[in-house]
Amino acid sequence: MHYVKLYFTCIKRSIISRLEYKKDTIISILSFLFSNACSLCSIYFILQAIPSLKGYSIAEVGFFYGFSMLPIALDHLFSDEFWLVAYRRVQLGDMDMHFLRPVPVIFQMFAETFQPDGFGEVIVGVTMMIVCGINLEATITFGAVFVLIIGAIFGAVIITSFKIIFSSLAFIFKRSGPLLQIIYNFTSYAKYPISIYPKFIRIILIFVLPFGLFVSLPINTLLYGSYNPYLLSLWIAGVAIIFFALSVFIWTRCEKRYESTGS
Amino acid sequence: MIEVKSLTKVFRKPIRGRGVLGMLKTLFSRKYKEIRAVDDVSFDIGEGEIVGYIGSNGAGKSTTIKMMCGILTPTSGKVLVNGREPYVKRKVVAKEIGVVFGQKTQLWWDIPLIESFKVLKEIYQVSEEDYKSRMEFLSSVLGIDEFLTQPVRTLSLGQRMRADLAASMLHNPKILFLDEPTIGMDVLVKEKIRQAIHALNAKYHTTVVLTTHDMVDIENLCSRIIMIEKGKIIYDGPLGDIKHRFGNIKTLTLTIPANINPQEVKPYSEEVDLITEKDKVMLRFDADKVKLEDVVQYAFSNYQAIDMKISDISIEDVVKKILAQQEEEKHAKEI
């Protein structure tokens, strides 16, 4: 309970920080609106140009793309601070203040920044899902909707876990940003149906870097009823929880290696 | 309150070549140099003490402080703060200590000071009444209310330090670690901060461990000093003792006209050391034995000085003297 209250206090702090500079705030709101409008337009034009994609109808492709944005957006909302840890903060010895507070350092990282840009991505994603979803031929069942929600939320947990694991390596290497970037780029594999990849990559995307798990499989369940939605939900949530636990374990191990800087 | 037992911190640094080629070579070499930043250090600090932890730059002060507050994990040995190891029970110990680093602020840069305090209140779970009464006291000793609504980034160094000090006291810690609390400040602000530290110590009986380069800080604040050099403790005892050992050493530096050969100046007496440089004469003496005004008068009437400066002994001088003395004692034993 203390942590829930503390989280909201910190988030409020992070928003106040973002609003502190008037002109910067106005510019970032405008650029936020502009970039989201652009991404909606470009997706619209792409979908117009391609009638169908390897057996997927245009509505299916759009729905797929829109849904694939959700886990990435949710991760973006809550865990943006880890990029700074990986690229800068450990190297500059800028983490001292967090080590002095009676709260887990990893919690403070989540509470340090709340990235409202993620909201835009959620809105764009959901809009696409609605627009394309109307034209889908599949019958929408409760189970399918359930597995989509689980896929979005726990998909974000999986992405965040990888972010935690690779940013905690900064405690050992001093800077792990480029490495984290490489791993994070694999999330773009989530944006396409898993059936388009060769078998070898498919196995990796389900069992090793499970970015193929939480988008493609729930959508196939919705469109073709390929899997039992509840078993699939359980599997996705299970994988996410295991990776998250692993990432917290690795982080707490690595944070002991923090060296700060001379002063 | 604080027990430190044969505390050691070793940093392993790869031995690097110079330039781009040298740096490339290090990528494939497995040679490391061990730097013993803190080497087998032990001491105890009791409740309510104000201890000066001093030494020259790079002596290992900050590293020790960082281990005592749980940022760094020691290579060997241990620290007990109130019976607990801070790097193991970090969260528990963090509630009992307050830390201020002179060089890094712990407040959020962009937001008004008062907002930072509100977040800290939540982090340390300070009750509303405690928060109010402490804020009142802290404002009165540190004078922070004049800039409470300003963002931290707009504060001057002195204001920021007072704000940091207030932030570290908000949860009423039993121990306060201050790393260079007066660095880079003018004399008036330094004085204000010293008074505040005294007031905190008197009101809450807070144990204070501070590192500093300023001899005046030490004389005004600390009853005990621990001196460290190259990671090892070279002195631990009351301030009075060290003064007694080295006296109240002052140095009078005179700038003399170019036409006078410094070699020709006459010494004042045997009790005053005479050091000469190109156009400078330095007289070093114990102000408890020789009167300062006598030396000044003598100097002006004899050396035609164009400028003069009186300085107290610096920490670096004390360290040098202690090391020299220990060296002598060692020689004496060997003979």
Side-chain angles (χ1 to χ4, degrees):
Chain A
M1 200 50 216
H2 165 52
Y3 283 104
V4 175
K5 204 174 155 210
L6 181 57
Y7 183 75
F8 284 106
T9 314
C10 291
I11 292 307
K12 218 173 92 194
R13 201 276 318 155
S14 143
I15 293 169
I16 294 174
S17 275
R18 289 215 44 163
L19 300 178
E20 177 64 27
Y21 308 104
K22 259 190 196 161
K23 285 170 191 151
D24 176 63
T25 312
I26 294 168
I27 290 171
S28 55
I29 291 173
L30 286 178
S31 70
F32 166 80
L33 292 174
F34 182 71
S35 68
N36 282 305
C38 282
S39 70
L40 265 181
C41 287
S42 63
I43 292 163
Y44 176 75
F45 290 131
I46 291 170
L47 292 184
Q48 291 248 302
I50 319 164
S52 76
L53 197 71
K54 208 178 180 184
Y56 284 86
S57 76
I58 192 66
E60 286 169 348
V61 173
F63 189 82
F64 197 108
Y65 195 86
F67 178 66
S68 75
M69 290 177 79
L70 296 187
I72 295 169
L74 289 176
D75 165 72
H76 195 187
L77 267 177
F78 297 110
S79 69
D80 220 31
E81 191 68 17
F82 290 97
W83 286 110
L84 292 180
V85 174
Y87 271 106
R88 273 216 326 257
R89 297 199 62 180
V90 173
Q91 191 191 17
L92 295 179
D94 188 22
M95 303 276 287
D96 292 9
M97 63 197 277
H98 300 296
F99 280 82
L100 297 173
R101 296 188 179 141
V103 177
V105 177
I106 190 165
F107 173 84
Q108 295 180 57
M109 292 301 106
F110 280 106
E112 191 72 7
T113 29
F114 178 76
Q115 185 55 271
D117 292 5
F119 272 134
E121 292 156 20
V122 172
I123 293 165
V124 173
V126 171
T127 312
M128 282 190 65
M129 282 170 76
I130 292 168
V131 171
C132 299
I134 297 164
N135 299 322
L136 284 181
E137 284 161 23
T139 45
I140 294 168
T141 60
F142 174 78
V145 175
F146 181 77
V147 77
L148 284 184
I149 294 170
I150 292 290
I153 294 171
F154 286 93
V157 174
I158 291 174
I159 297 173
T160 306
S161 304
F162 276 92
K163 244 161 124 176
I164 295 172
I165 292 172
F166 286 91
S167 58
S168 63
L169 292 181
F171 290 118
I172 298 169
F173 304 148
K174 305 289 167 277
R175 208 175 100 110
S176 64
L179 187 61
L180 173 59
Q181 187 71 56
I182 291 169
I183 297 297
Y184 185 79
N185 287 347
F186 276 97
T187 55
S188 59
Y189 281 82
K191 290 180 182 161
Y192 307 99
I194 198 159
S195 55
I196 68 168
Y197 301 115
K199 197 173 181 196
F200 170 67
I201 293 181
R202 241 185 283 170
I203 290 170
I204 289 182
L205 285 178
I206 288 178
F207 296 104
V208 187
L209 283 167
F211 296 150
L213 192 63
F214 48 82
V215 177
S216 205
L217 303 191
I219 291 217
N220 283 350
T221 305
L222 175 85
L223 297 181
Y224 315 116
S226 317
Y227 309 93
N228 178 320
Y230 300 105
L231 282 181
L232 182 60
S233 300
L234 198 66
W235 187 25
I236 294 172
V239 169
I241 289 166
I242 289 169
F243 270 104
F244 189 69
L246 183 72
S247 74
V248 173
F249 175 76
I250 291 176
W251 174 281
T252 44
R253 274 303 181 83
C254 288
E255 76 176 20
K256 296 233 178 294
R257 303 272 297 262
Y258 179 60
E259 271 192 352
S260 187
T261 47
S263 55
Chain B
M1 212 65 191
I2 305 173
E3 291 169 64
V4 174
K5 286 179 199 150
S6 41
L7 188 67
T8 303
K9 179 75 188 178
V10 180
F11 290 110
R12 276 174 83 213
K13 297 280 173 237
I15 298 172
R16 292 190 204 285
R18 283 185 191 187
V20 178
L21 208 68
M23 290 296 268
L24 281 175
K25 270 188 198 160
T26 30
L27 289 179
F28 305 100
S29 111
R30 299 202 136 264
K31 281 184 198 150
Y32 286 93
K33 192 167 79 180
E34 286 200 339
I35 301 165
R36 302 182 83 82
V38 174
D39 193 0
D40 197 18
V41 161
S42 304
F43 54 82
D44 284 341
I45 293 173
E47 202 184 333
E49 272 192 276
I50 302 186
V51 177
Y53 193 59
I54 58 184
S56 27
N57 286 325
K61 294 174 303 217
S62 294
T63 309
T64 318
I65 296 259
K66 280 175 185 156
M67 286 190 277
M68 290 198 277
C69 52
I71 295 177
L72 293 180
T73 309
T75 312
S76 66
K78 65 175 166 182
V79 182
L80 291 175
V81 172
N82 240 349
R84 291 189 203 91
E85 290 183 75
Y87 34 87
V88 181
K89 298 263 172 212
R90 197 184 61 74
K91 279 169 281 172
V92 186
V93 174
K95 285 206 164 188
E96 297 170 349
I97 62 172
V99 187
V100 176
F101 290 118
Q103 319 264 31
K104 291 176 188 168
T105 179
Q106 309 194 50
L107 302 162
W108 286 275
W109 199 238
D110 301 314
I111 60 171
L113 188 54
I114 183 80
E115 299 290 340
S116 273
F117 285 166
K118 279 184 194 159
V119 178
L120 288 172
K121 169 180 176 273
E122 207 56 56
I123 287 179
Y124 288 98
Q125 294 175 282
V126 180
S127 74
E128 196 61 45
E129 318 146 45
D130 284 351
Y131 177 74
K132 269 193 188 141
S133 69
R134 274 175 214 155
M135 276 304 271
E136 218 165 273
F137 175 71
L138 292 169
S139 312
S140 71
V141 276
L142 291 161
I144 45 173
D145 24 3
E146 43 183 297
F147 46 83
L148 214 46
T149 51
Q150 282 181 38
V152 173
R153 96 198 125 79
T154 64
L155 301 184
S156 72
L157 187 61
Q159 290 174 328
R160 211 211 71 207
M161 185 56 66
R162 285 186 276 159
D164 255 314
L165 206 52
S168 71
M169 285 300 295
L170 218 50
H171 56 291
N172 190 17
K174 297 191 183 94
I175 302 163
L176 192 57
F177 293 104
L178 307 172
D179 194 5
E180 309 262 7
T182 57
I183 196 163
M185 270 161 232
D186 67 47
V187 185
L188 286 175
V189 178
K190 274 185 180 176
E191 193 46 45
K192 204 166 196 174
I193 287 185
R194 282 179 209 133
Q195 281 166 2
I197 295 171
H198 262 306
L200 295 173
N201 176 259
K203 172 148 176 147
Y204 296 115
H205 213 56
T206 316
T207 308
V208 182
V209 179
L210 73 124
T211 74
T212 182
H213 258 99
D214 190 323
M215 271 312 235
V216 187
D217 279 355
I218 297 167
E219 281 186 23
N220 280 353
L221 285 171
C222 313
S223 47
R224 171 183 168 195
I225 54 176
I226 298 172
M227 203 174 268
I228 181 170
E229 175 66 15
K230 295 206 175 109
K232 284 182 185 295
I233 287 187
I234 56 170
Y235 177 83
D236 179 359
L239 176 67
D241 273 18
I242 212 150
K243 269 195 153 174
H244 181 71
R245 265 163 86 174
F246 302 109
N248 184 8
I249 306 285
K250 291 201 187 295
T251 308
L252 176 65
T253 309
L254 299 156
T255 310
I256 54 173
N259 56 3
I260 292 181
N261 182 358
Q263 304 297 335
E264 289 169 11
V265 297
K266 290 176 289 181
Y268 173 73
S269 78
E270 291 219 330
E271 285 182 310
V272 178
D273 284 336
L274 182 72
I275 307 148
T276 53
E277 271 174 24
K278 206 170 69 232
D279 61 340
K280 282 199 169 65
V281 178
M282 277 174 273
L283 300 163
R284 184 172 292 161
F285 56 96
D286 184 344
D288 293 339
K289 291 181 186 153
V290 186
K291 270 193 179 163
L292 174 66
E293 58 212 71
D294 291 348
V295 181
V296 174
Q297 216 161 41
Y298 174 82
F300 269 89
S301 50
N302 287 278
Y303 304 152
Q304 302 167 11
I306 33 180
D307 194 9
M308 69 160 224
K309 192 179 90 184
I310 301 167
S311 45
D312 285 325
I313 192 165
S314 72
I315 291 196
E316 281 73 14
D317 286 335
V318 176
V319 168
K320 260 185 234 159
K321 285 203 157 204
I322 291 183
L323 288 178
Q325 213 172 49
Q326 284 174 348
E327 202 65 24
E328 263 173 40
E329 280 164 16
K330 221 162 84 185
H331 268 291
K333 261 185 209 161
E334 278 166 13
I335 296 163

